[in-house]
Amino acid sequence: MSSRLEAEHLFKVFGRRPDQAVERLRNNTADREELRADGVTAAVIDASFSVEPGEIFVVMGLSGSGKSTLLRMLNGLLEPTAGHVRFDGQDLTALSDRELRDVRSRKISMVFQHFALFPHRSVRDNAAYGLEVQGVPRAERERRADEALALCGLAGWEDAWPDELSGGMQQRVGLARALATDADLLLMDESFSALDPLIRRDMQDQLIELQKKLKKTIVFITHDLNEAMRLGDRIAVMRDGRIVQIGTAQDILIRPDNDYVASFTQDVDRSRVLTAQAVMDPEVRGDEADCGCETAAPGTSFTDLCAISARVPHPVAVVDDGDLVGVVPRQRLVGFLGDEEADPGVCDSPKDQGGKVMARA
């Protein structure tokens, strides 16, 4: 089972007197631009978050926002100027170089933007490389590499050479290499951004399907909001070295914390992200529990919800395991599409049924 990752007040400052720069940032006596004028770059500023076991946690932001620097602190490729990284209850920032290398080889795997395959090694040997570094015997590492390649849709390509593979297939080899070590934590740095759009979507599908089976703890870096919303259980938005909001895709879309986050989401197709749970009015009284409404599950997509609403003149009831958890009047759907919430309304013919409603076939 995957383990919890925690980042606690992480700073990364490049330049002269970095500790002094951290104190100035903490005390709000200097901002990023003032430090830059002094020849100091504050790449990451006071970043704190946790990633739960089995969660895909996406960090997104524009170029220069600090997201890749943050990722490299998570596995010790960069030492934080201040703060702590804990994984599986272990403070990675307190480890010696030897201890950190051991953790990286056994517990943490990295999938890079560029495939980083060895051209003189077969697909199998590339996938087995991390196991070779660990000292795993050849027969076992080849078996585990073949299993990982099969998971990534590359069964039958084990003896091929990297230059015989398409870009998407090469990236699958990189993913298989990370999976073969059976590491609990996967760090993925813009892993799909070098791919063509259709191949990129295929790789996103592949990751989603693999995660259903493997339930790894994954930190995924991207500059693409649509990719973030498609993959992330939660998303951290970075700007100028700081995390400015953490939430689900629907949180960020519906409740942006500031104008910067709102500007990111203004062109997003909401119908692809929102669900019944996100748009329903949860303030439902007992006497509104069974009104003969058409029903939907909390995870019903916005598009399907609109289709249900179009069939009936009354609100749609949102039902979870027989319990009524909310209602969605038609004007509320229109409000969300127009970036404005309409008054929630209620069902047409309330009858007290003790908070239970039977879902219709």
Side-chain angles (χ1 to χ4, degrees):
M1 182 61 183
S2 298
S3 302
R4 193 170 193 258
L5 173 70
E6 297 174 277
E8 180 182 297
H9 300 296
L10 286 178
F11 289 79
K12 185 59 184 178
V13 175
F14 298 96
R16 297 178 302 156
R17 297 189 290 275
D19 293 337
Q20 184 182 95
V22 168
E23 286 306 307
R24 294 176 69 189
L25 289 165
R26 281 176 174 157
N27 297 329
N28 294 317
T29 57
D31 60 23
R32 202 185 195 206
E33 294 306 314
E34 289 172 327
L35 290 176
R36 184 173 292 159
D38 294 335
V40 175
T41 299
V44 175
I45 304 170
D46 201 17
S48 294
F49 59 88
S50 63
V51 185
E52 298 302 320
E55 180 180 23
I56 300 180
F57 185 83
V58 175
V59 182
M60 67 152 296
L62 299 178
S63 178
S65 62
K67 57 190 185 298
S68 291
T69 300
L70 175 61
L71 189 77
R72 280 159 173 75
M73 286 192 287
L74 298 181
N75 72 347
L77 288 176
L78 283 177
E79 183 180 358
T81 308
H84 297 273
V85 177
R86 294 183 176 88
F87 181 63
D88 196 18
Q90 191 172 32
D91 188 347
L92 303 188
T93 50
L95 300 181
S96 67
D97 290 344
R98 182 187 61 78
E99 291 169 331
L100 188 56
R101 284 195 299 270
D102 184 66
V103 168
R104 281 204 297 259
S105 70
R106 298 179 185 279
K107 293 186 177 182
I108 303 174
S109 285
M110 190 108 172
V111 184
F112 298 94
Q113 175 180 354
H114 300 290
F115 317 129
L117 302 184
F118 297 108
H120 59 285
R121 288 175 174 255
S122 69
V123 166
R124 175 185 288 113
D125 287 344
N126 266 283
Y129 178 72
L131 297 172
E132 183 179 341
V133 171
Q134 291 180 13
V136 175
R138 173 177 287 276
E140 182 182 350
R141 69 177 184 249
E142 289 186 349
R143 176 186 61 80
R144 289 168 61 178
D146 287 354
E147 289 175 354
L149 289 166
L151 278 173
C152 294
L154 289 173
W157 291 89
E158 297 87 352
D159 296 319
W161 299 99
D163 63 3
E164 297 179 283
L165 275 55
S166 68
M169 294 171 75
Q170 290 183 44
Q171 189 61 291
R172 287 172 192 262
V173 177
L175 183 55
R177 180 172 56 199
L179 296 175
T181 63
D182 199 29
D184 291 324
L185 175 62
L186 296 185
L187 303 178
M188 305 185 70
D189 189 8
E190 299 269 11
S191 298
F192 305 152
S193 64
L195 302 173
D196 293 336
L198 289 178
I199 299 174
R200 184 174 187 169
R201 188 170 181 86
D202 285 344
M203 287 301 299
Q204 292 167 3
D205 291 340
Q206 180 84 60
L207 182 61
I208 291 168
E209 288 305 309
L210 283 171
Q211 183 65 348
K212 289 177 183 177
K213 300 175 187 176
L214 303 178
K215 295 179 170 51
K216 299 291 185 181
T217 303
I218 300 175
V219 179
F220 191 101
I221 303 295
T222 184
H223 63 271
D224 185 323
L225 179 62
N226 288 312
E227 182 169 68
M229 291 194 163
R230 187 153 191 259
L231 294 178
D233 295 307
R234 287 185 302 144
I235 301 167
V237 182
M238 291 193 73
R239 181 189 189 189
D240 294 339
R242 296 183 183 272
I243 294 176
V244 295
Q245 184 169 355
I246 297 176
T248 65
Q250 298 183 64
D251 289 335
I252 288 170
L253 189 59
I254 298 172
R255 293 175 288 275
D257 280 355
N258 52 52
D259 290 343
Y260 179 78
V261 177
S263 69
F264 261 109
T265 65
Q266 62 185 0
D267 295 325
V268 171
D269 182 354
R270 295 181 167 221
S271 67
R272 294 181 178 273
V273 178
L274 298 178
T275 63
Q277 187 171 33
V279 303
M280 71 184 186
D281 172 25
E283 302 297 325
V284 181
R285 301 185 303 273
D287 61 355
E288 297 164 0
D290 185 359
C291 57
C293 287
E294 192 82 24
T295 65
T300 299
S301 71
F302 191 91
T303 301
D304 290 344
L305 192 61
C306 287
I308 295 171
S309 181
R311 296 198 298 264
V312 294
H314 50 67
V316 178
V318 182
V319 175
D320 186 15
D321 195 24
D323 291 313
L324 180 70
V325 295
V327 294
V328 186
R330 187 176 298 172
Q331 68 267 29
R332 193 171 178 88
L333 291 173
V334 174
F336 273 98
L337 275 179
D339 203 19
E340 295 178 359
E341 287 193 44
D343 291 334
V346 293
C347 297
D348 295 342
S349 304
K351 296 178 183 178
D352 187 1
Q353 296 293 332
K356 292 283 186 178
V357 64
M358 296 303 294
R360 298 185 178 183

